Amino acid sequence: MARHRVPRIRSSEITPQAVWEGRREFLRLALGATAALAVPVAAGDVDATLATAFPGLVRTDLGAGLKPTAREVFTSYNNFVELGSGKEAPAENAHLLRLRPWAVRVDGECEAPGEIGIDDILGRFPQEERIYRFRCVEAWSAVVPWVGVPLRDFLARFKPTSKARYVAFQSVHDPKNLPGQRRPVLAWPYVEGLRIDEATHPLTLLATGCYGRPLPGQNGAPVRLVVPWKYGFKSAKSLVRISFVEQMPQTTWSKLQPDEYGFYANVNPSVDHPRWSQKRERRLGEGLLASRHPTAMYNGYETEVAGLYAGMDLARHY
Ligand code: MTE
């Protein structure tokens, strides 16, 4: 396949005023009360790690009122079956993930398919920090300061056609190095999907970092999806391919257990998992004995996303 060069961002395009006024207005309209006021980070406003990892990082006020989970906690309790089953295995085996060279292929129903290297994703798209709630289908949750690119800005570069009704995501496939992929625990590679309006919703993020640093391997380095109103399994890690498709794509967990994991997987406290309640959640870092917190519809992003599902039977399309 022809290698598609993503155009270099000219300095005139980075003029903060024009770019951010536009984005700010767009997010204000899209997000209502939680409007983002994106401001370029002032030089003195960042610690050394953050400045080195993401020069030019833009902080938004998305999630400004949320208290992030401790970094050590969020980065040591993971689901990443390619790196092993169990919550500690992914961090222990993270070094087995080969992070360079790394490229993401974008193909399917689009006018400009191609491949983009991770360093071009980091260098050519303004990186933003946003604090999101994160809710796993297993009923634990966290609050995470992510760094990344709004997925819609990334996808737009590849010019999806009107046939692109869905977007399919594929994670790394490297059974030689990744111990979990040498066993048929899941059908490899891990695949996920979103409707195009979900993929291009302003909250959907292509994450490259968390806690001001590049993503650790166990959290899906070097680039992953983050869809904060859906259960965590939708947020596929270590992406190598993104495809615009016409039909609803298959997804790993719904292939394995269709009665338990649907395509939509929107956080919904009133639709129980067949084997446990989804009404409450345990916050990582609070200990197993701490009282559980009520789970919010769409994980607290109802104002922003409920319109995407107007008229749908949410108990059937889980
Ligand atoms: N992506 C891949 N490729 N492999 C996985 O096993 N697990 C999913 C999701 N993305 C998974 C994945 C699940 S079940 C969850 S809850 C989140 O990643 C966990 O993300 P975290 O470890 O960063 O909290």
Side-chain angles (χ1 to χ4, degrees), residues 40-242:
V41 178
D45 196 25
V46 289
D47 64 38
T49 319
L50 202 148
T52 326
F54 298 105
L57 180 76
V58 174
R59 283 214 173 117
T60 70
D61 74 350
L62 268 170
L66 300 171
K67 185 170 176 280
T69 302
R71 179 179 179 279
E72 315 77 71
V73 172
F74 186 67
T75 59
S76 60
Y77 184 94
N78 300 100
N79 284 332
F80 196 172
V81 186
E82 290 88 331
L83 292 176
S85 302
K87 305 300 183 202
E88 288 84 34
E92 285 163 13
N93 292 328
H95 62 281
L96 299 172
L97 208 50
R98 300 280 172 89
L99 298 180
R100 294 292 188 282
W102 191 285
V104 179
R105 177 148 60 99
V106 183
D107 59 11
E109 302 292 349
C110 60
E111 287 170 24
E115 197 174 84
I116 178 166
I118 183 62
D119 295 317
D120 286 339
I121 296 177
L122 290 167
R124 296 181 185 191
F125 292 90
Q127 306 288 313
E128 295 182 14
E129 185 174 65
R130 300 167 163 207
I131 303 176
Y132 282 163
R133 284 178 286 272
F134 188 81
R135 170 63 156 81
C136 176
V137 75
E138 296 165 338
W140 54 262
S141 67
V143 170
V144 188
W146 299 106
V147 174
V149 181
L151 183 64
R152 57 175 294 139
D153 295 352
F154 177 84
L155 294 181
R157 298 289 176 108
F158 300 90
K159 300 189 181 2
T161 68
S162 59
K163 283 187 171 172
R165 295 177 57 232
Y166 294 89
V167 184
F169 300 87
Q170 187 182 309
S171 297
V172 61
H173 191 219
D174 183 12
K176 199 162 150 274
N177 291 301
L178 307 179
Q181 286 189 325
R182 292 198 286 271
R183 289 178 293 130
V185 197
L186 294 175
W188 304 115
Y190 193 100
V191 287
E192 256 307 335
L194 294 172
R195 242 171 36 193
I196 188 84
D197 56 349
E198 298 176 318
T200 56
H201 187 280
L203 285 176
T204 307
L205 199 66
L206 191 63
T208 53
C210 59
Y211 298 87
R213 307 181 195 190
L215 282 173
Q218 63 268 31
N219 290 98
V223 60
R224 71 175 290 177
L225 187 61
V226 176
V227 196
W229 70 95
K230 293 180 177 283
Y231 290 120
F233 68 83
K234 296 294 293 181
S235 294
K237 295 178 168 180
S238 304
L239 296 173
V240 295
R241 185 175 177 192
I242 299 179

Side-chain angles (χ1 to χ4, degrees), residues 36 129 191 216 248 292 302 317:
E129 185 174 65
V191 287
M248 182 183 278
R292 295 182 166 228
E302 186 164 12
H317 299 285

